[in-house]
Amino acid sequence: MTRPSADPGTAARVRGLLADVFELAQVRLELFTVEARQELSRLTWMAVMAALAVVFVSFGLIFLAIFLTVLLWDTQRLLALGVFTTLFLGGGLVLAGLAWQRARQGARMFAATRDELRRDQERLRP
């Protein structure tokens, strides 16, 4: 007794379906790669600009504090030093709190890739 062979049309359709799935996965991975490169570029630029901003603002504040302290040296030097110490420490604590809050919120990285994968899942569900 011979077994009935599988329909060649069915095998071709399964191969075509698998080819489509692999092509879809490849496109999604390429989108992920492009987004990763863009995000890395953006983060690098932000880090460089932030570092430069911190350096320049720090030097500016230090020189301003020194200038005003020297200006008030004969009359109110302790008051000037106390005010600048309070300003620098208070500002640093406020900024550290804001940075901590932002870090806890997290970023929505690779949003387009996740949205496309979600749409793909919805299309494939019966």
Side-chain angles (χ1 to χ4, degrees):
M1 179 170 213
T2 61
R3 285 179 58 198
S5 63
D7 182 16
T10 303
R13 284 191 293 255
V14 169
R15 278 194 301 273
L17 180 62
L18 285 176
D20 289 343
V21 167
F22 286 129
E23 183 180 357
L24 182 63
Q26 180 183 5
V27 168
R28 296 305 180 240
L29 286 174
E30 288 173 4
L31 175 62
F32 177 79
T33 303
V34 168
E35 280 189 299
R37 265 190 254 127
Q38 287 176 342
E39 188 67 18
L40 181 62
S41 174
R42 186 183 72 82
L43 290 174
T44 302
W45 185 85
M46 281 178 38
V48 169
M49 292 300 121
L52 288 173
V54 166
V55 167
F56 282 110
V57 169
S58 296
F59 276 118
L61 288 174
I62 289 168
F63 281 110
L64 176 65
I66 291 170
F67 172 76
L68 291 176
T69 302
V70 169
L71 183 68
L72 299 171
W73 190 259
D74 291 332
T75 58
Q76 301 292 329
R77 68 176 160 240
L78 291 178
L79 177 64
L81 289 172
V83 167
F84 288 122
T85 301
T86 304
L87 284 174
F88 290 148
L89 289 177
L93 290 174
V94 167
L95 291 174
L98 291 173
W100 178 255
Q101 182 182 19
R102 177 63 66 110
R104 285 188 4 193
Q105 288 175 351
R108 186 148 154 74
M109 291 179 61
F110 310 115
T113 299
R114 289 187 294 189
D115 290 341
E116 286 298 321
L117 288 172
R118 190 177 306 113
R119 278 189 234 133
D120 292 342
Q121 284 177 344
E122 290 171 0
R123 283 187 214 122
L124 292 174
R125 287 190 183 130

